[in-house]
Amino acid sequence: MTNGAAAEVGQHGGEKLRWVKLPLQARSREKLERFIAAAERLINERGFQATSVPDIAREAGCSVGLFYTRFRDKQELLRFLFEHYLGEAVATARAVLQPGAFADVPLAALIRTAVQGMVRIHRGKPGLVYAFYESIPHDPVLGERVLAVHHEIEGLARAMLVARGAEITHPDPDTAARFGIRLVVGVLQQRALASRTLPAEDDLGWTVMAEEMTRTLLGYFGVAAAAPPPRRLRSARRKAAR
């Protein structure tokens, strides 16, 4: 992240986030990337609280000192990882929910793609997602950032559904979009927080959850079900998730 980008995020985030300043030297940047990758792996496997800075340094093959030249503490590392996670969510929403982006694609296919994109973001890094949701109530910086992203995604969904209101039977597309987004986010959040204690036999699985949430939204909006999205839409979804 460039210094300019860091300044822009800070101006719009209420309490300023202290972002990582990537070093100019390629060797130092490569070490930092190893450190971040190691942190994600360990947090996914063990959880945030059970992962220490020395653990991450050992996994990355780097020194503990490197961590403290880039981050103030472990919570700041979590904020950095969270920013990347939120970036994927926003990129997916911007690609799929633009009112005129896929005017020739059935609304049901767009809804299916949006739900699958949100599920993919959650299922790819379950340990990190758990740490994020667990930390939000205690970290006002994360809370403000989540709220800003939520408002953007909800706004995109509302604009898209209102623009295609002729394809739905719900009497209030604006309210339907707001509720639909909160429904999906709420289900995914509950699944993430329950993942540590939910017995395997009680877990519906990500694929089933995505399909059932899609079915629920289509019925709620009053949109006819459709086949899986066309190749062009799947390609946009994959690019947004990178």
Side-chain angles (χ1 to χ4, degrees):
M1 180 180 293
T2 65
N3 292 345
E8 182 179 354
V9 172
Q11 290 167 5
H12 292 83
E15 181 184 348
K16 288 181 183 263
L17 279 172
R18 182 175 172 271
W19 297 113
V20 173
K21 296 179 181 179
L22 293 177
L24 297 178
Q25 295 82 8
R27 182 180 177 186
S28 297
R29 185 165 56 246
E30 188 270 337
K31 286 183 178 180
L32 179 58
E33 289 172 354
R34 279 172 27 214
F35 213 103
I36 296 302
E40 288 191 347
R41 284 195 301 273
L42 291 180
I43 294 172
N44 253 330
E45 294 170 3
R46 306 177 183 179
F48 181 66
Q49 300 301 331
T51 301
S52 68
V53 172
D55 289 338
I56 298 171
R58 190 162 42 250
E59 178 77 7
C62 301
S63 69
V64 173
L66 174 65
F67 176 89
Y68 290 108
T69 63
R70 304 292 172 227
F71 302 100
R72 185 169 47 202
D73 52 32
K74 200 169 68 167
Q75 189 64 26
E76 190 170 69
L77 167 65
L78 186 64
R79 291 177 185 173
F80 176 81
L81 297 175
F82 199 19
E83 180 61 24
H84 282 266
Y85 164 81
L86 291 175
E88 290 185 12
V90 171
T92 300
R94 288 174 179 171
V96 176
L97 298 178
Q98 292 294 339
F102 297 99
D104 59 333
V105 175
L107 181 57
L110 283 174
I111 292 171
R112 180 182 300 277
T113 297
V115 170
Q116 290 177 345
M118 294 179 73
V119 168
R120 181 177 296 103
I121 291 169
H122 279 70
R123 75 182 296 178
K125 299 174 182 178
L128 276 176
V129 172
Y130 180 88
F132 297 154
Y133 283 131
E134 189 179 42
S135 296
I136 287 171
H138 313 292
D139 189 326
V141 177
L142 291 184
E144 288 178 9
R145 184 71 178 110
V146 169
L147 187 61
V149 169
H150 172 81
H151 283 161
E152 178 173 357
I153 293 176
E154 188 176 87
L156 288 168
R158 291 164 67 183
M160 185 270 289
L161 279 180
V162 169
R164 303 184 66 162
E167 299 177 58
I168 71 176
T169 60
H170 192 288
D172 186 349
D174 185 73
T175 297
R178 295 176 66 189
F179 179 79
I181 286 289
R182 297 177 192 196
L183 176 67
V184 174
V185 171
V187 170
L188 291 174
Q189 180 176 355
Q190 189 277 334
R191 203 265 185 203
L193 291 174
S195 63
R196 299 277 172 169
T197 57
L198 190 67
E201 61 271 18
D202 291 337
D203 188 2
L204 290 175
W206 290 107
T207 301
V208 172
M209 286 189 66
E211 186 59 37
E212 292 308 307
M213 283 192 290
T214 300
R215 192 191 310 275
T216 299
L217 289 181
L218 293 180
Y220 172 62
F221 293 147
V223 178
R231 183 180 301 276
R232 184 165 67 91
L233 191 54
R234 293 200 301 269
S235 176
R237 183 183 64 199
R238 286 195 298 269
K239 290 179 181 178
R242 290 174 183 169

PDB file of all heavy atoms in Angstrom, residues 214-240:
ATOM      1  N   THR A 214     -29.439 -18.382  -1.674  1.00  0.00           N
ATOM      2  CA  THR A 214     -29.884 -17.920  -2.991  1.00  0.00           C
ATOM      3  C   THR A 214     -31.367 -18.193  -3.175  1.00  0.00           C
ATOM      4  O   THR A 214     -32.128 -17.323  -3.618  1.00  0.00           O
ATOM      5  CB  THR A 214     -29.080 -18.629  -4.101  1.00  0.00           C
ATOM      6  OG1 THR A 214     -27.701 -18.326  -3.950  1.00  0.00           O
ATOM      7  CG2 THR A 214     -29.541 -18.171  -5.475  1.00  0.00           C
ATOM      8  N   ARG A 215     -31.788 -19.412  -2.813  1.00  0.00           N
ATOM      9  CA  ARG A 215     -33.198 -19.774  -2.935  1.00  0.00           C
ATOM     10  C   ARG A 215     -34.085 -18.851  -2.086  1.00  0.00           C
ATOM     11  O   ARG A 215     -35.159 -18.423  -2.505  1.00  0.00           O
ATOM     12  CB  ARG A 215     -33.389 -21.231  -2.495  1.00  0.00           C
ATOM     13  CG  ARG A 215     -34.747 -21.827  -2.848  1.00  0.00           C
ATOM     14  CD  ARG A 215     -34.935 -23.162  -2.136  1.00  0.00           C
ATOM     15  NE  ARG A 215     -33.804 -24.049  -2.327  1.00  0.00           N
ATOM     16  CZ  ARG A 215     -33.658 -24.845  -3.379  1.00  0.00           C
ATOM     17  NH1 ARG A 215     -34.584 -24.863  -4.318  1.00  0.00           N
ATOM     18  NH2 ARG A 215     -32.612 -25.639  -3.481  1.00  0.00           N
ATOM     19  N   THR A 216     -33.594 -18.555  -0.882  1.00  0.00           N
ATOM     20  CA  THR A 216     -34.351 -17.679   0.012  1.00  0.00           C
ATOM     21  C   THR A 216     -34.505 -16.282  -0.579  1.00  0.00           C
ATOM     22  O   THR A 216     -35.604 -15.693  -0.578  1.00  0.00           O
ATOM     23  CB  THR A 216     -33.648 -17.584   1.373  1.00  0.00           C
ATOM     24  OG1 THR A 216     -33.590 -18.880   1.966  1.00  0.00           O
ATOM     25  CG2 THR A 216     -34.384 -16.643   2.313  1.00  0.00           C
ATOM     26  N   LEU A 217     -33.417 -15.727  -1.095  1.00  0.00           N
ATOM     27  CA  LEU A 217     -33.475 -14.379  -1.667  1.00  0.00           C
ATOM     28  C   LEU A 217     -34.357 -14.323  -2.906  1.00  0.00           C
ATOM     29  O   LEU A 217     -35.126 -13.378  -3.087  1.00  0.00           O
ATOM     30  CB  LEU A 217     -32.068 -13.895  -2.011  1.00  0.00           C
ATOM     31  CG  LEU A 217     -31.161 -13.547  -0.835  1.00  0.00           C
ATOM     32  CD1 LEU A 217     -29.810 -13.061  -1.350  1.00  0.00           C
ATOM     33  CD2 LEU A 217     -31.787 -12.486   0.058  1.00  0.00           C
ATOM     34  N   LEU A 218     -34.238 -15.326  -3.766  1.00  0.00           N
ATOM     35  CA  LEU A 218     -35.061 -15.329  -4.978  1.00  0.00           C
ATOM     36  C   LEU A 218     -36.542 -15.365  -4.625  1.00  0.00           C
ATOM     37  O   LEU A 218     -37.359 -14.661  -5.236  1.00  0.00           O
ATOM     38  CB  LEU A 218     -34.687 -16.530  -5.858  1.00  0.00           C
ATOM     39  CG  LEU A 218     -33.291 -16.510  -6.483  1.00  0.00           C
ATOM     40  CD1 LEU A 218     -33.064 -17.761  -7.321  1.00  0.00           C
ATOM     41  CD2 LEU A 218     -33.060 -15.261  -7.308  1.00  0.00           C
ATOM     42  N   GLY A 219     -36.896 -16.187  -3.630  1.00  0.00           N
ATOM     43  CA  GLY A 219     -38.287 -16.240  -3.208  1.00  0.00           C
ATOM     44  C   GLY A 219     -38.740 -14.934  -2.571  1.00  0.00           C
ATOM     45  O   GLY A 219     -39.857 -14.464  -2.817  1.00  0.00           O
ATOM     46  N   TYR A 220     -37.877 -14.346  -1.766  1.00  0.00           N
ATOM     47  CA  TYR A 220     -38.210 -13.095  -1.082  1.00  0.00           C
ATOM     48  C   TYR A 220     -38.374 -11.941  -2.076  1.00  0.00           C
ATOM     49  O   TYR A 220     -39.319 -11.153  -1.974  1.00  0.00           O
ATOM     50  CB  TYR A 220     -37.114 -12.786  -0.070  1.00  0.00           C
ATOM     51  CG  TYR A 220     -37.218 -11.430   0.587  1.00  0.00           C
ATOM     52  CD1 TYR A 220     -38.318 -11.087   1.370  1.00  0.00           C
ATOM     53  CD2 TYR A 220     -36.198 -10.490   0.430  1.00  0.00           C
ATOM     54  CE1 TYR A 220     -38.405  -9.835   1.980  1.00  0.00           C
ATOM     55  CE2 TYR A 220     -36.279  -9.252   1.032  1.00  0.00           C
ATOM     56  CZ  TYR A 220     -37.380  -8.927   1.809  1.00  0.00           C
ATOM     57  OH  TYR A 220     -37.462  -7.696   2.397  1.00  0.00           O
ATOM     58  N   PHE A 221     -37.457 -11.867  -3.031  1.00  0.00           N
ATOM     59  CA  PHE A 221     -37.550 -10.804  -4.036  1.00  0.00           C
ATOM     60  C   PHE A 221     -38.649 -11.082  -5.058  1.00  0.00           C
ATOM     61  O   PHE A 221     -39.121 -10.170  -5.727  1.00  0.00           O
ATOM     62  CB  PHE A 221     -36.223 -10.652  -4.790  1.00  0.00           C
ATOM     63  CG  PHE A 221     -35.090 -10.155  -3.944  1.00  0.00           C
ATOM     64  CD1 PHE A 221     -33.798 -10.585  -4.187  1.00  0.00           C
ATOM     65  CD2 PHE A 221     -35.290  -9.260  -2.912  1.00  0.00           C
ATOM     66  CE1 PHE A 221     -32.733 -10.135  -3.422  1.00  0.00           C
ATOM     67  CE2 PHE A 221     -34.247  -8.805  -2.127  1.00  0.00           C
ATOM     68  CZ  PHE A 221     -32.965  -9.242  -2.389  1.00  0.00           C
ATOM     69  N   GLY A 222     -39.021 -12.347  -5.187  1.00  0.00           N
ATOM     70  CA  GLY A 222     -39.995 -12.707  -6.207  1.00  0.00           C
ATOM     71  C   GLY A 222     -39.366 -12.785  -7.579  1.00  0.00           C
ATOM     72  O   GLY A 222     -39.947 -12.338  -8.576  1.00  0.00           O
ATOM     73  N   VAL A 223     -38.173 -13.378  -7.644  1.00  0.00           N
ATOM     74  CA  VAL A 223     -37.447 -13.511  -8.905  1.00  0.00           C
ATOM     75  C   VAL A 223     -37.432 -14.972  -9.310  1.00  0.00           C
ATOM     76  O   VAL A 223     -37.160 -15.845  -8.483  1.00  0.00           O
ATOM     77  CB  VAL A 223     -35.995 -12.994  -8.760  1.00  0.00           C
ATOM     78  CG1 VAL A 223     -35.218 -13.189 -10.061  1.00  0.00           C
ATOM     79  CG2 VAL A 223     -35.993 -11.521  -8.357  1.00  0.00           C
ATOM     80  N   ALA A 224     -37.708 -15.247 -10.588  1.00  0.00           N
ATOM     81  CA  ALA A 224     -37.701 -16.621 -11.061  1.00  0.00           C
ATOM     82  C   ALA A 224     -36.297 -17.193 -10.966  1.00  0.00           C
ATOM     83  O   ALA A 224     -35.309 -16.519 -11.269  1.00  0.00           O
ATOM     84  CB  ALA A 224     -38.195 -16.680 -12.504  1.00  0.00           C
ATOM     85  N   ALA A 225     -36.178 -18.457 -10.521  1.00  0.00           N
ATOM     86  CA  ALA A 225     -34.880 -19.103 -10.408  1.00  0.00           C
ATOM     87  C   ALA A 225     -34.252 -19.235 -11.780  1.00  0.00           C
ATOM     88  O   ALA A 225     -34.929 -19.268 -12.803  1.00  0.00           O
ATOM     89  CB  ALA A 225     -35.035 -20.477  -9.759  1.00  0.00           C
ATOM     90  N   ALA A 226     -32.919 -19.310 -11.780  1.00  0.00           N
ATOM     91  CA  ALA A 226     -32.191 -19.398 -13.048  1.00  0.00           C
ATOM     92  C   ALA A 226     -31.093 -20.423 -12.933  1.00  0.00           C
ATOM     93  O   ALA A 226     -30.718 -20.859 -11.845  1.00  0.00           O
ATOM     94  CB  ALA A 226     -31.599 -18.035 -13.416  1.00  0.00           C
ATOM     95  N   ALA A 227     -30.556 -20.792 -14.076  1.00  0.00           N
ATOM     96  CA  ALA A 227     -29.409 -21.704 -14.115  1.00  0.00           C
ATOM     97  C   ALA A 227     -28.185 -20.981 -13.590  1.00  0.00           C
ATOM     98  O   ALA A 227     -28.197 -19.763 -13.402  1.00  0.00           O
ATOM     99  CB  ALA A 227     -29.193 -22.174 -15.551  1.00  0.00           C
ATOM    100  N   PRO A 228     -27.084 -21.702 -13.317  1.00  0.00           N
ATOM    101  CA  PRO A 228     -25.849 -21.053 -12.886  1.00  0.00           C
ATOM    102  C   PRO A 228     -25.458 -19.944 -13.842  1.00  0.00           C
ATOM    103  O   PRO A 228     -25.805 -19.979 -15.026  1.00  0.00           O
ATOM    104  CB  PRO A 228     -24.820 -22.199 -12.898  1.00  0.00           C
ATOM    105  CG  PRO A 228     -25.654 -23.411 -12.654  1.00  0.00           C
ATOM    106  CD  PRO A 228     -26.950 -23.160 -13.365  1.00  0.00           C
ATOM    107  N   PRO A 229     -24.722 -18.903 -13.373  1.00  0.00           N
ATOM    108  CA  PRO A 229     -24.416 -17.726 -14.186  1.00  0.00           C
ATOM    109  C   PRO A 229     -23.589 -18.055 -15.416  1.00  0.00           C
ATOM    110  O   PRO A 229     -22.837 -19.021 -15.426  1.00  0.00           O
ATOM    111  CB  PRO A 229     -23.617 -16.841 -13.216  1.00  0.00           C
ATOM    112  CG  PRO A 229     -23.073 -17.775 -12.207  1.00  0.00           C
ATOM    113  CD  PRO A 229     -24.101 -18.851 -12.064  1.00  0.00           C
ATOM    114  N   PRO A 230     -23.752 -17.251 -16.474  1.00  0.00           N
ATOM    115  CA  PRO A 230     -22.987 -17.478 -17.700  1.00  0.00           C
ATOM    116  C   PRO A 230     -21.506 -17.259 -17.491  1.00  0.00           C
ATOM    117  O   PRO A 230     -21.072 -16.659 -16.511  1.00  0.00           O
ATOM    118  CB  PRO A 230     -23.577 -16.448 -18.676  1.00  0.00           C
ATOM    119  CG  PRO A 230     -24.171 -15.398 -17.809  1.00  0.00           C
ATOM    120  CD  PRO A 230     -24.667 -16.113 -16.583  1.00  0.00           C
ATOM    121  N   ARG A 231     -20.710 -17.719 -18.473  1.00  0.00           N
ATOM    122  CA  ARG A 231     -19.251 -17.684 -18.361  1.00  0.00           C
ATOM    123  C   ARG A 231     -18.743 -16.263 -18.115  1.00  0.00           C
ATOM    124  O   ARG A 231     -17.840 -16.048 -17.325  1.00  0.00           O
ATOM    125  CB  ARG A 231     -18.628 -18.260 -19.628  1.00  0.00           C
ATOM    126  CG  ARG A 231     -17.107 -18.340 -19.577  1.00  0.00           C
ATOM    127  CD  ARG A 231     -16.573 -18.910 -20.870  1.00  0.00           C
ATOM    128  NE  ARG A 231     -17.109 -20.232 -21.135  1.00  0.00           N
ATOM    129  CZ  ARG A 231     -16.597 -21.348 -20.628  1.00  0.00           C
ATOM    130  NH1 ARG A 231     -15.545 -21.295 -19.826  1.00  0.00           N
ATOM    131  NH2 ARG A 231     -17.134 -22.518 -20.902  1.00  0.00           N
ATOM    132  N   ARG A 232     -19.306 -15.262 -18.800  1.00  0.00           N
ATOM    133  CA  ARG A 232     -18.811 -13.897 -18.659  1.00  0.00           C
ATOM    134  C   ARG A 232     -18.952 -13.405 -17.226  1.00  0.00           C
ATOM    135  O   ARG A 232     -18.080 -12.742 -16.689  1.00  0.00           O
ATOM    136  CB  ARG A 232     -19.585 -12.959 -19.601  1.00  0.00           C
ATOM    137  CG  ARG A 232     -19.086 -11.533 -19.597  1.00  0.00           C
ATOM    138  CD  ARG A 232     -19.651 -10.785 -20.785  1.00  0.00           C
ATOM    139  NE  ARG A 232     -21.090 -10.602 -20.697  1.00  0.00           N
ATOM    140  CZ  ARG A 232     -21.654  -9.538 -20.131  1.00  0.00           C
ATOM    141  NH1 ARG A 232     -20.901  -8.607 -19.582  1.00  0.00           N
ATOM    142  NH2 ARG A 232     -22.967  -9.413 -20.101  1.00  0.00           N
ATOM    143  N   LEU A 233     -20.053 -13.747 -16.594  1.00  0.00           N
ATOM    144  CA  LEU A 233     -20.280 -13.322 -15.218  1.00  0.00           C
ATOM    145  C   LEU A 233     -19.361 -14.061 -14.263  1.00  0.00           C
ATOM    146  O   LEU A 233     -18.823 -13.484 -13.322  1.00  0.00           O
ATOM    147  CB  LEU A 233     -21.746 -13.569 -14.838  1.00  0.00           C
ATOM    148  CG  LEU A 233     -22.236 -12.962 -13.525  1.00  0.00           C
ATOM    149  CD1 LEU A 233     -21.958 -11.478 -13.479  1.00  0.00           C
ATOM    150  CD2 LEU A 233     -23.723 -13.216 -13.366  1.00  0.00           C
ATOM    151  N   ARG A 234     -19.131 -15.363 -14.506  1.00  0.00           N
ATOM    152  CA  ARG A 234     -18.220 -16.110 -13.650  1.00  0.00           C
ATOM    153  C   ARG A 234     -16.805 -15.552 -13.746  1.00  0.00           C
ATOM    154  O   ARG A 234     -16.080 -15.489 -12.766  1.00  0.00           O
ATOM    155  CB  ARG A 234     -18.227 -17.596 -14.050  1.00  0.00           C
ATOM    156  CG  ARG A 234     -19.547 -18.309 -13.776  1.00  0.00           C
ATOM    157  CD  ARG A 234     -19.326 -19.815 -13.722  1.00  0.00           C
ATOM    158  NE  ARG A 234     -18.770 -20.329 -14.953  1.00  0.00           N
ATOM    159  CZ  ARG A 234     -19.500 -20.769 -15.975  1.00  0.00           C
ATOM    160  NH1 ARG A 234     -20.822 -20.724 -15.925  1.00  0.00           N
ATOM    161  NH2 ARG A 234     -18.913 -21.258 -17.053  1.00  0.00           N
ATOM    162  N   SER A 235     -16.416 -15.122 -14.953  1.00  0.00           N
ATOM    163  CA  SER A 235     -15.087 -14.555 -15.143  1.00  0.00           C
ATOM    164  C   SER A 235     -14.923 -13.279 -14.347  1.00  0.00           C
ATOM    165  O   SER A 235     -13.902 -13.050 -13.695  1.00  0.00           O
ATOM    166  CB  SER A 235     -14.857 -14.280 -16.634  1.00  0.00           C
ATOM    167  OG  SER A 235     -13.618 -13.649 -16.828  1.00  0.00           O
ATOM    168  N   ALA A 236     -15.945 -12.418 -14.354  1.00  0.00           N
ATOM    169  CA  ALA A 236     -15.879 -11.172 -13.583  1.00  0.00           C
ATOM    170  C   ALA A 236     -15.800 -11.457 -12.099  1.00  0.00           C
ATOM    171  O   ALA A 236     -15.088 -10.793 -11.355  1.00  0.00           O
ATOM    172  CB  ALA A 236     -17.113 -10.310 -13.895  1.00  0.00           C
ATOM    173  N   ARG A 237     -16.531 -12.486 -11.659  1.00  0.00           N
ATOM    174  CA  ARG A 237     -16.526 -12.841 -10.236  1.00  0.00           C
ATOM    175  C   ARG A 237     -15.135 -13.322  -9.806  1.00  0.00           C
ATOM    176  O   ARG A 237     -14.637 -12.967  -8.756  1.00  0.00           O
ATOM    177  CB  ARG A 237     -17.569 -13.924  -9.995  1.00  0.00           C
ATOM    178  CG  ARG A 237     -17.707 -14.337  -8.534  1.00  0.00           C
ATOM    179  CD  ARG A 237     -18.705 -15.445  -8.415  1.00  0.00           C
ATOM    180  NE  ARG A 237     -18.251 -16.642  -9.105  1.00  0.00           N
ATOM    181  CZ  ARG A 237     -19.057 -17.640  -9.474  1.00  0.00           C
ATOM    182  NH1 ARG A 237     -20.345 -17.576  -9.244  1.00  0.00           N
ATOM    183  NH2 ARG A 237     -18.561 -18.705 -10.067  1.00  0.00           N
ATOM    184  N   ARG A 238     -14.482 -14.132 -10.660  1.00  0.00           N
ATOM    185  CA  ARG A 238     -13.153 -14.625 -10.320  1.00  0.00           C
ATOM    186  C   ARG A 238     -12.150 -13.482 -10.255  1.00  0.00           C
ATOM    187  O   ARG A 238     -11.299 -13.446  -9.368  1.00  0.00           O
ATOM    188  CB  ARG A 238     -12.710 -15.677 -11.352  1.00  0.00           C
ATOM    189  CG  ARG A 238     -13.401 -17.021 -11.209  1.00  0.00           C
ATOM    190  CD  ARG A 238     -12.665 -18.077 -11.997  1.00  0.00           C
ATOM    191  NE  ARG A 238     -12.644 -17.785 -13.413  1.00  0.00           N
ATOM    192  CZ  ARG A 238     -13.573 -18.218 -14.277  1.00  0.00           C
ATOM    193  NH1 ARG A 238     -14.588 -18.934 -13.843  1.00  0.00           N
ATOM    194  NH2 ARG A 238     -13.483 -17.922 -15.556  1.00  0.00           N
ATOM    195  N   LYS A 239     -12.241 -12.539 -11.195  1.00  0.00           N
ATOM    196  CA  LYS A 239     -11.313 -11.409 -11.182  1.00  0.00           C
ATOM    197  C   LYS A 239     -11.505 -10.573  -9.929  1.00  0.00           C
ATOM    198  O   LYS A 239     -10.552 -10.080  -9.338  1.00  0.00           O
ATOM    199  CB  LYS A 239     -11.528 -10.542 -12.425  1.00  0.00           C
ATOM    200  CG  LYS A 239     -11.068 -11.209 -13.721  1.00  0.00           C
ATOM    201  CD  LYS A 239     -11.339 -10.300 -14.917  1.00  0.00           C
ATOM    202  CE  LYS A 239     -10.904 -10.974 -16.212  1.00  0.00           C
ATOM    203  NZ  LYS A 239     -11.211 -10.121 -17.392  1.00  0.00           N
ATOM    204  N   ALA A 240     -12.764 -10.394  -9.507  1.00  0.00           N
ATOM    205  CA  ALA A 240     -13.037  -9.575  -8.333  1.00  0.00           C
ATOM    206  C   ALA A 240     -12.497 -10.211  -7.070  1.00  0.00           C
ATOM    207  O   ALA A 240     -12.135  -9.527  -6.106  1.00  0.00           O
ATOM    208  CB  ALA A 240     -14.535  -9.351  -8.184  1.00  0.00           C
TER     209      ALA A 240
END
